[in-house]
Amino acid sequence: MSAFKRATVVSGPPRQDVLAPLREAQIVSSKPVLPAEIISTILDFLAVQELIVFARASRRMREMVYDDSRWILRLRYMGCWDDADARKKGEEATRRKLETISIRRKEKLNQDGARIAGSNGSNADSSTTIFDTRWAQGPDRSQSHIPPTILQPSLDDGFDNITLLPTSPLSSYTSQARENSTVLNIIAKARSIRGAARQEYGKIYAALRPFYIDAVKTKNHRAAKVFRVYRDPIQQAQMLSQLVRFSKSDISQGWREREDKLTKLVTAFEDAVSGEFDQGLEVVDIEGRMRKYASVLVMLNGGQRAIEHFISKNPVIKERASLGDPMDCIHFNSSGTISLSESHSFFNHLSAAFNAQVVIIDRVFPSSNAIVPFLERIGAEVIGAYLNSLFDELRRENVESYLQAVSGTYGQSLQFAKSLQPTQRSGDEFYETIDHIITVDFEPHVDVYLNEELVSFKQKSDVEVSEWERQLSEQDASMQSMFMSGVNRQADKRDFLKSFKKVVMMPVNVLPTFPMSSPFGGRSATAKALVNGDALEVPRMASSQGSTRPSTPSVTNGTALTVSRSSTPVLEQPMTELAAKTAIMNSRLEGIRSLFSLEIALSLVHMAKSSIERTAVFVGSGSQFEAGARRQCQTIFILLLQILGNRHVKTGFDQAVDHLSNYNPRQAGENHQLQVTPLVIFLELVNVGDLIQQMLDVFYEQELVATKLTDRNDFLDPATKEKKRFEQMLDERVAAGLNKGIEVLVAEVEYICATTQKPEDFNPDASSDGRSKVIDIGTSQTAIQVVEMVASHTRMLIGSTDKNMLDVFNQEVGLRLFTALCKHLKRQRISVDGSIKLISDMNHYFTYIQTLKNRDLLEYFKALRELSQIYLISPKDGKELATIIADSDRFHGIFRAEEVYEFAERRADWYQVKRSVEKAMYGIGCRVM
């Protein structure tokens, strides 16, 4: 077994119970004390007498009762405590206290210095001197050491000296204050001093409490103490007004019953005074009873009772029907049209009647602002009733008259407000009240008006554009019907070839030539005159007799603008379907100019101008309608751009481009003109579109920017964004039309070159006797005709389009002309003798291109001019010809050697020089040894 033995555990002290400390603890009883917050809340509901008794309980209770914030609250209930004034006075008191301390400190230092300098080191003499000095300052100074209990009582001590028993005689100050007239202004004289609120409230309490207690306890109103002490109604009203304010500081138990009893007393007094005022009002005793008793009621509670009686019995309110009848403004025989002269007379009569009453109000209520409630009653019962009847009737009869009435009467009401005269005590509140009254009267109608204005403009614009589209559609249908009416389809089938030849070879109607400049000279002035409706006569295009082109739009007095569209007359009624379709195409090309109308644009602009001017009346008034009216004006302008752009101008340009696509220059036969008829007409259409854009620019500047309805520099402004979108759309459509017009122009150039360029121009034939003919080295008629035609069309855009667009147009025309000339050159046979005329033609083209002032384009025609030199080289100089063909720098990189070689193949003697040229260029015929 193991020898291990378990160690003996030595026991320690006995383990204590965990609850032993709790059993040993003793509960110490203490006197219960309420928290300070609860005590303070209880004090808020005690009467003043109870507060004074409570303050005598202990020093702690006295501190709580004398707390300044408690009495400031009561003064604030009465409305006689000003925090800003109290703060200002507190800062001044602190500043004076610091100054006094600083002065005393300096005096003490001076006295100590003098005493040290004259002393002999005797401490006893020094102390005796200090004591005697203080005592010798006089009885007033020494009185400060007397205990406070033996000092004379002062009213500044607050409630310490107020007798608690209500039956005891009042203190001397209270009796003297009641006999003095200053008691009537005891509340007005209260000062806002921090730390002295209890004393200020004590003065008011001592003066008004006897009257207040008597007023709430008396059963007979006539026996009230306030009426026995004061016999003058003004003083009675003044004291009652103070008692009403004093009652607001009564927050002890039963305050509601006491307030009700005081209110009954005041009401009885007010009824009696109001009766006297009504008697004076009936006999129009302005300087007597009306003025006297109005002053009493004003002193009592602001005079609202007297003001109400004065307004309710005022002739402006009672006899408002004599000022004007709203139905007189409506002419029922003319479909509900309106005459704003009647409403103008109404406002004039009302203004005269109001200004007459202002004089009476100044005499009756000199110390009260009675004009404000008078204005409010007039706005509600006179102006509001008149406008409501007028607007409701017009909206049922005629919407256009309703729109004119709302805008017109609002402007008249603003003029009416300016014609009113204020009273002597009106101040700025008078004008603010007028603006508020006008706003309140028009507020129920403005939203409806803005909606009706927008809907009306949109409907009238849609009707205007739809009617224009309908007329064009009917005219086009009638034209097709007229041309197709004589078609005999059976005969057309039997003699198709004959009819085809007849139609193709028959010359089309030739339009007269027109001035190259824009028909709308002085475009900005023209657009401004059109927008403003000034008298204007747009010059007519010069036309020859028998011209089938409709006259240029004319404007007289800004109203009558006619656009006539006449179809192209034919020499005879087309009898075949092909002839009829050809005539229809010619008529449509001629009718491009009337695809959109300047008259329609002008009509829409004038309608938008009227709507915006009516709506803008609400913008400059500074009322709450300004933001909505401003947005409405911008919305009308945006709607104008959308209707005029998308539905009218855009559609017209699309149709014009479609008609240009169907143009075939070969239908012109041998009757060539210096102008391509459909392109000329399209350019006139561009001029009309440009004039419409100028009109919109003038309209935008005059109606929106000048009147500050929008900001042109705000790129996020909806009107500015829509205007830019319209301009972009117009530029895109003009560019598409010009692109198609350039194609037509180039097609005409190719046709002229193909039909007028004679073979002997560049390759003159040898005479039969072996001698050469006289060679004309001048420019060919083909080149002259091509340059004149192209130049006439490029000059037409000057002044009517943007410079950038004009440069792009000229460059595109030049490039396509270059391409057409290259194609034409490859179709010719050119001899050495004919090359001189070719060089003359190239120089003529180069001279014209110089007038376009386009350096990039000029390089192409320089290369073309250099290219024409290869035909002047003699057949004997094949190596030199090959050198020129291979020299790419000579042609400025425009032509490659392969392309120049193709042009060289058009030489009349090419087969004579071909071998030598190819040998020099490619080494043909060389053998490697």
Side-chain angles (χ1 to χ4, degrees):
M1 296 178 61
S2 175
F4 176 79
K5 294 184 179 180
R6 185 180 299 275
T8 304
V9 178
V10 181
S11 61
R15 190 175 180 180
Q16 278 189 337
D17 189 2
V18 294
L19 299 178
L22 296 177
R23 294 191 186 96
E24 295 177 359
Q26 296 181 357
I27 300 176
V28 179
S29 62
S30 60
K31 184 177 181 180
V33 178
L34 289 176
E37 292 81 3
I38 297 178
I39 297 176
S40 178
T41 304
I42 294 174
L43 294 179
D44 292 338
F45 297 94
L46 294 181
V48 176
Q49 301 93 326
E50 296 170 348
L51 286 174
I52 296 174
V53 174
F54 189 83
R56 294 177 178 178
S58 67
R59 182 177 300 175
R60 182 188 179 198
M61 298 301 105
R62 177 175 178 174
E63 291 176 355
M64 297 184 67
V65 171
Y66 283 12
D67 184 16
D68 202 50
S69 61
R70 188 177 310 282
W71 307 104
I72 289 177
L73 181 62
R74 292 178 180 267
L75 293 174
R76 187 177 286 117
Y77 285 156
M78 291 189 295
C80 57
W81 179 265
D82 187 358
D83 288 322
D85 185 43
R87 188 181 303 109
K88 181 178 179 181
K89 291 179 179 179
E91 293 174 354
E92 292 179 356
T94 303
R95 179 178 55 81
R96 288 195 301 268
K97 182 178 180 181
L98 293 176
E99 291 177 355
T100 303
I101 293 175
S102 177
I103 293 173
R104 289 181 178 178
R105 185 176 300 170
K106 291 180 181 179
E107 292 178 352
K108 183 177 181 181
L109 291 175
N110 294 334
Q111 292 176 1
D112 292 343
R115 185 171 61 253
I116 293 173
S119 64
N120 295 324
S122 176
N123 295 332
D125 294 341
S126 175
S127 62
T128 305
T129 304
I130 294 174
F131 177 80
D132 293 338
T133 302
R134 292 171 55 196
W135 181 261
Q137 291 180 357
D140 295 336
R141 180 68 177 177
S142 61
Q143 196 177 17
S144 59
H145 299 278
I146 303 176
T149 55
I150 64 174
L151 294 176
Q152 294 296 327
S154 173
L155 189 61
D156 291 339
D157 294 335
F159 300 103
D160 293 340
N161 300 299
I162 296 178
T163 305
L164 298 180
L165 296 178
T167 56
S168 62
L170 297 175
S171 63
S172 59
Y173 176 83
T174 307
S175 300
Q176 183 179 1
R178 186 177 64 248
E179 295 174 359
N180 198 330
S181 60
T182 57
V183 178
L184 296 173
N185 298 318
I186 191 66
I187 294 181
K189 293 181 179 181
R191 297 176 299 171
S192 300
I193 303 175
R194 296 188 183 277
R198 179 173 57 87
Q199 286 80 359
E200 294 298 322
Y201 183 79
K203 296 176 184 179
I204 299 173
Y205 184 85
L208 299 182
R209 180 179 179 276
F211 294 95
Y212 177 70
I213 296 299
D214 179 77
V216 298
K217 289 185 176 182
T218 183
K219 296 182 179 180
N220 185 3
H221 294 160
R222 295 178 179 273
K225 189 173 185 178
V226 63
F227 299 137
R228 289 185 280 107
V229 174
Y230 300 102
R231 309 302 299 176
D232 186 4
I234 294 291
Q235 294 180 346
Q236 294 173 352
Q238 192 171 0
M239 179 56 70
L240 288 175
S241 176
Q242 288 194 122
L243 293 179
V244 171
R245 294 179 64 182
F246 178 74
S247 66
K248 297 182 182 300
S249 67
D250 184 6
I251 56 177
S252 60
Q253 187 176 5
W255 66 269
R256 191 178 300 276
E257 291 78 5
R258 292 190 291 272
E259 184 180 22
D260 293 341
K261 292 180 179 180
L262 180 62
T263 302
K264 292 179 180 180
L265 176 63
V266 174
T267 303
F269 176 77
E270 186 179 15
D271 292 340
V273 176
S274 299
E276 296 293 333
F277 178 81
D278 291 341
Q279 293 180 8
L281 185 61
E282 291 178 359
V283 298
V284 195
D285 187 7
I286 298 176
E287 297 295 337
R289 294 185 179 182
M290 290 180 63
R291 181 185 179 91
K292 176 181 179 180
Y293 292 105
S295 301
V296 173
L297 292 174
V298 169
M299 182 64 67
L300 179 64
N301 53 15
Q304 293 300 320
R305 186 83 167 266
I307 294 174
E308 291 177 0
H309 286 202
F310 176 81
I311 294 174
S312 60
K313 297 181 180 181
N314 195 276
V316 178
I317 304 297
K318 295 176 62 177
E319 303 174 4
R320 55 181 176 270
S322 61
L323 299 175
D325 187 1
M327 297 300 105
D328 294 340
C329 300
I330 307 174
H331 299 161
F332 292 97
N333 295 332
S334 303
S335 301
T337 58
I338 185 175
S339 173
L340 293 178
S341 60
E342 297 295 334
S343 59
H344 183 68
S345 300
F346 165 77
F347 282 109
N348 286 339
H349 295 160
L350 181 59
S351 174
F354 177 85
N355 291 334
Q357 295 299 317
V358 167
V359 179
I360 299 178
I361 291 175
D362 278 333
R363 295 164 62 186
V364 177
F365 303 97
S367 60
S368 177
N369 191 10
I371 198 67
V372 172
F374 186 46
L375 271 174
E376 293 175 350
R377 287 284 294 275
I378 289 178
E381 299 184 12
V382 181
I383 301 177
Y386 183 90
L387 295 177
N388 291 336
S389 301
L390 177 62
F391 295 160
D392 293 343
E393 185 65 27
L394 282 176
R395 194 179 180 193
R396 289 191 298 266
E397 293 290 334
N398 190 325
V399 176
E400 184 67 22
S401 298
Y402 168 76
L403 300 178
Q404 296 176 6
V406 175
S407 176
T409 54
Y410 186 79
Q412 291 175 354
S413 64
L414 296 179
Q415 295 298 324
F416 163 76
K418 295 179 181 179
S419 66
L420 300 183
Q421 298 177 1
T423 58
Q424 297 177 357
R425 293 181 55 86
S426 297
D428 296 336
E429 185 182 4
F430 174 77
Y431 300 101
E432 295 176 359
T433 303
I434 295 177
D435 295 339
H436 176 70
I437 289 172
I438 295 176
T439 300
V440 171
D441 289 338
F442 280 89
E443 186 175 9
H445 307 284
V446 171
D447 291 338
V448 178
Y449 161 77
L450 294 178
N451 182 65
E452 290 288 349
E453 186 74 72
L454 190 62
V455 171
S456 175
F457 173 74
K458 186 176 182 180
Q459 289 179 349
K460 290 189 295 184
S461 301
D462 289 339
V463 169
E464 194 81 13
V465 177
S466 299
E467 181 65 21
W468 169 261
E469 294 174 349
R470 185 189 63 80
Q471 291 179 1
L472 285 182
S473 178
E474 291 179 354
Q475 188 173 357
D476 188 68
S478 62
M479 176 193 64
Q480 294 187 28
S481 176
M482 180 188 68
F483 285 138
M484 298 297 293
S485 61
V487 175
N488 189 336
R489 295 185 180 274
Q490 295 298 327
D492 186 35
K493 291 180 181 179
R494 289 193 301 267
D495 200 8
F496 174 76
L497 292 177
K498 183 178 180 180
S499 62
F500 175 79
K501 182 178 180 181
K502 180 179 179 181
V503 171
V504 171
M505 299 305 297
M506 182 181 64
V508 298
N509 282 315
V510 181
L511 293 178
T513 58
F514 306 100
M516 294 299 105
S517 61
S518 171
F520 302 101
R523 188 166 303 279
S524 299
T526 302
K528 186 174 182 180
L530 290 175
V531 172
N532 295 331
D534 298 335
L536 176 68
E537 183 69 27
V538 179
R540 296 177 180 271
M541 295 290 184
S543 59
S544 60
Q545 278 190 345
S547 172
T548 59
R549 178 188 173 199
S551 59
T552 304
S554 61
V555 180
T556 304
N557 295 330
T559 55
L561 188 147
T562 59
V563 180
S564 59
R565 175 182 176 182
S566 60
S567 58
T568 304
V570 293
L571 298 178
E572 59 182 6
Q573 180 72 22
M575 302 304 295
T576 63
E577 184 176 0
L578 183 59
K581 290 184 177 179
T582 303
I584 292 173
M585 185 191 69
N586 291 334
S587 177
R588 286 179 175 176
L589 288 175
E590 188 179 85
I592 286 179
R593 66 176 57 87
S594 60
L595 289 178
F596 55 80
S597 170
L598 186 63
E599 179 186 11
I600 298 298
L602 189 60
S603 177
L604 295 181
V605 167
H606 282 172
M607 286 191 294
K609 182 179 180 182
S610 300
S611 297
I612 290 179
E613 287 179 349
R614 287 196 297 263
T615 308
V617 175
F618 296 92
V619 176
S621 61
S623 62
Q624 65 182 22
F625 312 130
E626 183 169 355
R630 189 183 300 275
R631 289 193 300 268
Q632 175 84 339
C633 294
Q634 296 179 355
T635 304
I636 292 174
F637 179 72
I638 292 172
L639 195 60
L640 169 66
L641 295 178
Q642 292 176 350
I643 294 176
L644 188 58
N646 297 333
R647 290 198 52 189
H648 195 59
V649 176
K650 180 181 178 181
T651 304
F653 271 116
D654 291 342
Q655 294 180 6
V657 173
D658 183 64
H659 293 340
L660 281 175
S661 302
N662 298 327
Y663 173 73
N664 186 2
R666 290 172 176 77
Q667 293 179 355
E670 298 180 355
N671 297 291
H672 301 299
Q673 303 295 320
L674 295 180
Q675 296 173 339
V676 181
T677 301
L679 182 57
V680 172
I681 298 174
F682 179 79
L683 293 180
E684 291 182 11
L685 191 68
V686 172
N687 289 335
V688 177
D690 181 65
L691 181 59
I692 291 176
Q693 181 179 353
Q694 294 291 337
M695 288 168 51
L696 293 176
D697 288 340
V698 173
F699 179 80
Y700 176 76
E701 292 292 333
Q702 289 186 349
E703 300 298 328
L704 295 180
V705 176
T707 56
K708 298 182 180 180
L709 295 176
T710 188
D711 184 8
R712 70 162 69 92
N713 298 322
D714 185 6
F715 64 92
L716 296 178
D717 184 75
T720 304
K721 292 170 61 177
E722 189 64 29
K723 181 175 179 291
K724 292 181 179 179
R725 191 178 295 113
F726 173 83
E727 294 172 351
Q728 182 180 2
M729 180 276 299
L730 190 61
D731 292 342
E732 291 175 353
R733 290 302 178 275
V734 170
L738 292 179
N739 180 62
K740 185 60 65 176
I742 291 173
E743 293 179 1
V744 173
L745 180 62
V746 173
E748 188 72 18
V749 169
E750 293 177 350
Y751 184 71
I752 292 175
C753 291
T755 56
T756 63
Q757 192 78 63
K758 298 178 181 180
E760 57 269 19
D761 286 344
F762 301 141
N763 187 19
D765 295 333
S767 59
S768 59
D769 56 0
R771 293 179 300 177
S772 299
K773 295 182 178 180
V774 179
I775 300 174
D776 182 13
I777 62 175
T779 306
S780 65
Q781 291 298 321
T782 301
I784 295 174
Q785 189 173 351
V786 168
V787 170
E788 288 180 353
M789 186 190 65
V790 174
S792 65
H793 289 84
T794 55
R795 285 196 299 265
M796 291 183 67
L797 290 178
I798 297 177
S800 62
T801 57
D802 183 71
K803 184 179 183 301
N804 295 329
M805 181 177 290
L806 182 62
D807 293 340
V808 173
F809 177 78
N810 291 338
Q811 183 174 1
E812 189 66 22
V813 169
L815 291 176
R816 296 197 187 188
L817 176 62
F818 172 81
T819 305
L821 292 177
C822 291
K823 291 170 60 178
H824 175 63
L825 197 58
K826 291 181 180 180
R827 290 194 293 264
Q828 305 300 315
R829 279 294 175 184
I830 306 166
S831 64
V832 176
D833 295 334
S835 63
I836 299 177
K837 184 178 285 292
L838 176 63
I839 293 174
S840 297
D841 287 356
M842 295 301 116
N843 287 331
H844 188 62
Y845 292 132
F846 180 81
T847 303
Y848 163 68
I849 295 301
Q850 280 183 321
T851 62
L852 300 181
K853 299 179 180 180
N854 192 316
R855 294 183 179 180
D856 297 335
L857 188 61
L858 198 61
E859 295 296 327
Y860 286 88
F861 284 85
K862 282 182 180 180
L864 193 61
R865 188 175 60 176
E866 293 291 335
L867 180 66
S868 63
Q869 305 291 331
I870 66 175
Y871 300 104
L872 190 61
I873 301 175
S874 173
K876 300 177 181 179
D877 301 327
K879 292 183 179 180
E880 286 76 5
L881 179 61
T883 302
I884 294 175
I885 293 175
D887 186 6
S888 59
D889 295 336
R890 185 183 184 91
F891 305 103
H892 309 286
I894 304 298
F895 296 112
R896 295 178 290 117
E898 291 80 3
E899 295 175 341
V900 179
Y901 182 83
E902 293 179 1
F903 284 105
E905 290 178 342
R906 304 312 302 169
R907 288 175 61 100
D909 55 357
W910 172 248
Y911 291 103
Q912 299 178 16
V913 300
K914 177 179 180 182
R915 182 178 180 83
S916 59
V917 171
E918 290 181 348
K919 182 178 181 180
M921 291 181 62
Y922 307 117
I924 298 176
C926 296
R927 291 183 298 176
V928 179
M929 300 301 295

